[in-house]
Amino acid sequence: MEAFPVVDMKKLDGEKRGAAMDLIGDACENWGFFELVNHGISHELLDEVERLTKAHYKDVMEQRFKEMVEAKGLEAVRSQVEDLDWESTFYLRHLPTSNMSEIPDLTQEYRDVMKEFASELEKLAECVLDLFCENLGLEKGYLKKVFYGSVGPNFGTKVSNYPPCPKPDMIKGLRAHTDAGGVILLFQDDKVSGLQLLKDGEWIDVPPMRHSIVVNLGDQLEVITNGKYKSVLHRVVAQTDGNRMSVASFYNPGSDAVIYPAPKLVEKESSEGTVPETYPKFVFDDYMKLYARLKFEAKEPRFEAMKTRDPSVNYGTVAAAY
């Protein structure tokens, strides 16, 4: 098996830029994931995010999780649990408006650090989108513009902890799924593994690396690139030892952004004599309503449903875009 793609962003500024860009392109086309080092976010800030996230879980979330496990009898399950994940989570919304002040039980120090972290991640996400544009032959800023909608992108963070699980063969940390949105930036535990992606029919570990940021592609980038880039199934496998931290930030289209294959890419495929994929055109909010019900099912029926969607049908409430 080829090595998991790790991109050193320092190489983008020198003579090795071409090789680094090729590595990003190959990762987007064949992995749906890659890992960034030397990404510009200070190690000190990352260490603070990790310290405060783990302290918040221990002080606030751990007891709630234990009570949920006891209430559902999960410690003694004897058969596969298909409708529940072994994770403790909360969500922070950054854009278009922040809900940071509304989340209970966060210390002011934690709020301040996460606000700074979100600002750094927003810049990194937009940089990554422009690298995609360059590789795809799209004008700089194209993807950011498509994501913008009328009031800007949706940007939020899912803060998760995956505690030790007594029955990891029965309960997934997080069930297999593709992400609905745009580009996802993950700061994960460097000591406790568990994140896996599906490649060529095999589950591959996403290697924990200290101070790295893992990037993965959501369904919207598959649609916009007309299938050249792919979102891929991934999951978290529960572990018997260690508490795994995961801070995943999602830079997604605005709710009213209209998503469709980039005409330039469709034209290029046609000019090369290949029959282009037929991905749908839709409003991101409508896709999220469907995703809320079908997150843990295959993405292809979601795409097909959007092709034939009746605008008068209400799919329900919008899912958090995570």
Side-chain angles (χ1 to χ4, degrees):
M1 173 62 67
E2 57 194 306
F4 187 89
V6 178
V7 177
D8 184 344
M9 292 191 74
K10 275 190 176 177
K11 294 181 178 179
L12 293 170
D13 296 326
E15 60 184 20
K16 296 182 179 179
R17 179 181 176 83
M21 291 297 290
D22 287 345
L23 180 57
I24 292 172
D26 179 74
C28 290
E29 292 181 32
N30 298 306
W31 289 79
F33 273 75
F34 56 95
E35 205 148 357
L36 293 176
V37 296
N38 293 319
H39 40 65
I41 301 177
S42 77
H43 291 181
E44 291 78 13
L45 178 57
L46 293 172
D47 289 342
E48 281 296 277
V49 170
E50 180 174 2
R51 178 180 70 83
L52 292 167
T53 297
K54 290 184 174 180
H56 179 263
Y57 175 75
K58 189 171 186 293
D59 294 342
V60 177
M61 307 291 286
E62 185 173 36
Q63 185 57 35
R64 296 175 188 172
F65 183 79
K66 288 180 178 178
E67 290 170 0
M68 182 276 290
V69 168
E70 291 173 4
K72 295 182 179 293
L74 296 177
E75 290 179 324
V77 294
R78 298 181 183 279
S79 60
Q80 197 82 20
V81 178
E82 302 287 356
D83 60 350
L84 193 70
D85 301 309
W86 189 268
E87 64 172 355
S88 170
T89 66
F90 66 95
Y91 301 91
L92 301 173
R93 186 179 65 247
H94 313 302
L95 296 174
T97 57
S98 173
N99 72 344
M100 194 86 71
S101 63
E102 302 165 17
I103 305 298
D105 304 320
L106 299 183
T107 65
Q108 190 57 49
E109 182 186 20
Y110 195 17
R111 293 181 206 275
D112 292 343
V113 165
M114 292 304 286
K115 184 177 180 180
E116 181 183 356
F117 187 46
S119 177
E120 292 295 313
L121 287 171
E122 181 184 353
K123 290 185 286 188
L124 181 58
E126 291 175 354
C127 173
V128 167
L129 288 176
D130 276 342
L131 293 174
F132 294 169
C133 287
E134 183 177 339
N135 266 340
L136 291 164
L138 299 171
E139 65 186 73
K140 184 177 181 178
Y142 178 87
L143 290 170
K144 182 180 176 181
K145 183 178 178 181
V146 170
F147 278 28
Y148 198 84
S150 64
V151 295
N154 283 299
F155 181 44
T157 298
K158 177 186 177 185
V159 181
S160 303
N161 280 271
Y162 298 90
C165 179
K167 301 279 187 175
D169 54 330
M170 299 294 184
I171 310 171
K172 289 287 182 293
L174 180 60
R175 290 162 284 170
H177 64 287
T178 64
D179 289 324
V183 61
I184 298 87
L185 304 176
L186 169 68
F187 176 42
Q188 67 167 346
D189 203 294
D190 67 312
K191 297 180 179 65
V192 183
S193 63
L195 178 61
Q196 297 181 331
L197 64 92
L198 189 65
K199 178 171 168 52
D200 301 327
E202 293 184 28
W203 287 105
I204 307 297
D205 290 330
V206 178
M209 292 178 61
R210 186 153 181 77
H211 297 138
S212 72
I213 297 291
V214 177
V215 176
N216 76 281
L217 311 183
D219 295 347
Q220 307 311 301
L221 283 175
E222 179 166 338
V223 173
I224 295 169
T225 65
N226 207 41
K228 186 175 181 64
Y229 291 178
K230 294 285 198 302
S231 61
V232 301
L233 281 172
H234 54 284
R235 68 184 186 183
V236 175
V237 178
Q239 308 290 330
T240 54
D241 299 311
N243 181 57
R244 179 177 178 271
M245 178 202 72
S246 166
V247 183
S249 296
F250 300 74
Y251 189 98
N252 292 339
S255 297
D256 64 353
V258 180
I259 305 300
Y260 55 93
K264 188 172 183 179
L265 298 182
V266 177
E267 291 165 8
K268 182 181 179 183
E269 287 182 59
S270 298
S271 69
E272 293 172 348
T274 58
V275 179
E277 293 271 4
T278 54
Y279 282 86
K281 180 178 182 178
F282 52 82
V283 175
F284 180 63
D285 184 64
D286 291 336
Y287 188 83
M288 289 309 302
K289 290 175 182 176
L290 184 65
Y291 183 83
R293 294 190 291 111
L294 303 175
K295 174 177 179 177
F296 297 109
E297 298 182 23
K299 63 186 172 181
E300 291 79 11
R302 297 198 294 265
F303 293 152
E304 288 300 314
M306 297 314 293
K307 292 179 187 178
T308 59
R309 181 182 180 272
D310 180 347
S312 66
V313 174
N314 182 1
Y315 284 112
T317 57
V318 180
Y322 306 117

